[in-house]
Amino acid sequence: MMTGATGFIGGHTAARAIDAGHEVCALVRSPQKLEDLRDAFDLPAIDHVIGDMTDPEAVAAALDGADAAIHCAAVVSLDARGNAQGIENSIAGARLVLHKAHEMELDPIIHLSSVAALFDPGAGSLTVDHPPSSAGYTYGQAKADAEMVARKLQADGAPLAIVYPSAVIGPPAGSAFGEASEDMARFTASGIIPTRRAAVAISDVRDMASLLVALLEPGHGPRRIMCGGHLVDMNDFARIHRDITGRRFPMMPLPPSALRGIGRVADSIRRVVPINAAMNRFSMSVLTQWEGSEDSDLSVYGVEFRNIEETFADSLAAWHKAGLLSNRQIGKAFPSPDPRKAPTPPKGFRMPPRVVLSRPFRTLGPLVVPRAHRLINRLTQGRTLLDSAAQPMLMLFSTGAKTGQTRETPLGAVPLEGGRFLVVGSNFAREQHPAWTANLLANPDAEIIFRGKRTPVRARLLSGPERESRWQTAVAWYPLWTGYDSITQRELRLFELDPVPSAD
């Protein structure tokens, strides 16, 4: 039984377990994301139970008949504000899943913890015997609380293996990259290293998956496995990325204490103004005060960390494909364009992701943005909207699924060959599908206005491999859709609008 099977590490682990011949039952909130995982790894049908890790009945149903359990689910947020309810659920979920698995005598029980559960400034090189963190960082404290649950079970004799990964990067599991990977992509995109006196521990998600699956062998009792991976200082970081991309990565002369101060200031500012979540007190402390870890001998599990250059090369390619890195930012590693694919987005103004993905924008946006676009559309008689060359928009006229009345909706659009467009039901990352998507499902025939031209179109909801292919095109134009997809539990509906001859 697995929790977190639709996440980054959990997704790779589920795929690796199935490839190794195990039968997986996943506890999931979104069956569609499980289907996306199957498509991404070409997996057979995966047994699953729909529910949350804090729901006793759902957890019991998922564990029923299981021999072993892997608990990967957790809220992963380096934002100092955190998600109070989500973090509380992470701790409650760990308590419920691990205790229930022990009660049902599963062997082994694997708990995916983190080096953050043990990290304290000045703690030195981390070992599996370090006490849970007392630093008080929101994310680290949540991991430390879950760690105490797991260690108490170990003390009671539970055959529980606790695994401590560092920052995990690599190719995605479906659309899941993991927050550490996305933060690393933003750091790479900046092209600037803020200080020379810093280091980060990095492991490859594929190696982590192999380790978790190797631990499924029963009869070994309580274990703790430290796997910090490669310790990469800023000189190595710059060299590796320069070799792969051909870009220079200049280093700023900031002292580590200044970065930690900036992190504290950023935490204060973030309460009012949305800024990049990677810049906070916790992440700056880890970056500048990390002293490495004394890793366990993974060779006994048949696992060896792959070359760090390979991990970064594969990660950079994946970040570029998902739209997290531009052609310029990936440099000489940019692959030759496929002439069969849709045109790549031109350069131009885009709303900053840190603004679009912020909570204030996602709260106020649905109330303000559509009204502003409709007003401008009417004042200019459809000639323009608040868009740009790199962020085009159209006005959709659909027929209400319930009312039969015409509905006017401004949408971000991705132009394709032949006058076609892609539109995504992002709905500002809210948990409900936007009404216009239900309208198109009920009445696919609609009209659009794009750059002053009114065109009849027929909408088609994309799914399966076709959706995956078109999704990569969509997020190349609108990278923020990747962020929205990671926030919400639903699958964002992706439509292709095909022009049709008018009745006239």
Side-chain angles (χ1 to χ4, degrees), residues 198-455:
V200 60
I202 296 172
S203 53
D204 192 294
V205 67
R206 295 163 292 188
D207 299 331
M208 285 303 309
S210 295
L211 173 61
L212 294 177
V213 173
L215 291 172
L216 285 172
E217 184 179 346
H220 291 275
R223 291 172 287 176
R224 297 178 196 163
I225 300 95
M226 179 68 68
C227 41
H230 299 279
L231 185 60
V232 181
D233 65 25
M234 294 301 98
N235 288 317
D236 286 336
F237 186 94
R239 175 187 57 78
I240 292 170
H241 283 71
R242 185 170 59 250
D243 290 345
I244 296 174
T245 67
R247 294 170 58 198
R248 292 180 60 253
F249 281 78
M251 293 190 186
M252 298 174 62
L254 286 176
S257 58
L259 283 180
R260 294 192 292 272
I262 292 172
R264 287 191 292 270
V265 172
D267 284 347
S268 300
I269 296 175
R270 188 180 290 106
R271 297 187 180 95
V272 181
V273 180
I275 60 175
N276 195 331
M279 179 65 75
N280 56 68
R281 186 167 66 104
F282 174 74
S283 61
M284 292 302 98
S285 294
V286 173
L287 182 67
T288 60
Q289 295 177 297
W290 180 255
E291 298 181 54
S293 59
E294 297 179 24
D295 283 5
S296 304
D297 181 7
L298 302 187
S299 64
V300 299
Y301 307 110
V303 177
E304 181 179 351
F305 283 118
R306 68 193 65 209
N307 185 286
I308 188 63
E309 284 80 4
E310 177 187 347
T311 295
F312 269 120
D314 292 347
S315 299
L316 286 164
W319 298 337
H320 175 259
K321 184 177 180 181
L324 300 175
L325 295 180
S326 68
N327 296 349
R328 180 188 62 82
Q329 289 163 346
I330 199 172
K332 69 180 184 181
F334 175 60
S336 300
D338 185 345
R340 297 171 297 175
K341 292 188 177 181
T344 55
K347 295 181 180 180
F349 173 78
R350 288 179 178 171
M351 286 286 286
R354 65 179 180 272
V355 174
V356 180
L357 298 176
S358 68
R359 290 179 184 173
F361 185 86
R362 290 189 287 113
T363 300
L364 298 176
L367 304 176
V368 177
V369 175
R371 289 187 174 94
H373 282 297
R374 291 189 189 103
L375 176 61
I376 292 172
N377 182 65
R378 289 165 188 164
L379 291 176
T380 64
Q381 297 182 344
R383 289 189 297 272
T384 188
L385 289 171
L386 289 174
D387 63 357
S388 68
Q391 188 168 297
M393 296 192 68
L394 57 77
M395 188 64 71
L396 172 72
F397 298 89
S398 60
T399 303
K402 295 181 179 179
T403 65
Q405 298 179 355
T406 300
R407 299 300 185 191
E408 183 181 359
T409 311
L411 298 173
V414 176
L416 302 175
E417 60 281 0
R420 293 173 292 156
F421 293 89
L422 294 177
V423 289
V424 175
S426 60
N427 203 20
F428 296 88
R430 292 184 289 184
E431 288 301 327
Q432 300 79 31
H433 292 292
W436 65 265
T437 65
N439 295 344
L440 292 184
L441 291 176
N443 303 289
D445 290 322
E447 288 188 328
I448 62 170
I449 292 180
F450 182 71
R451 305 283 162 82
K453 181 180 179 182
R454 195 176 187 109
T455 306

Side-chain angles (χ1 to χ4, degrees), residues 25 160 180 235 335:
C25 176
L160 196 153
N235 288 317

Side-chain angles (χ1 to χ4, degrees), residues 186-193 247-250:
R186 287 193 287 267
F187 186 41
T188 302
S190 72
I192 298 175
I193 296 175
R247 294 170 58 198
R248 292 180 60 253
F249 281 78

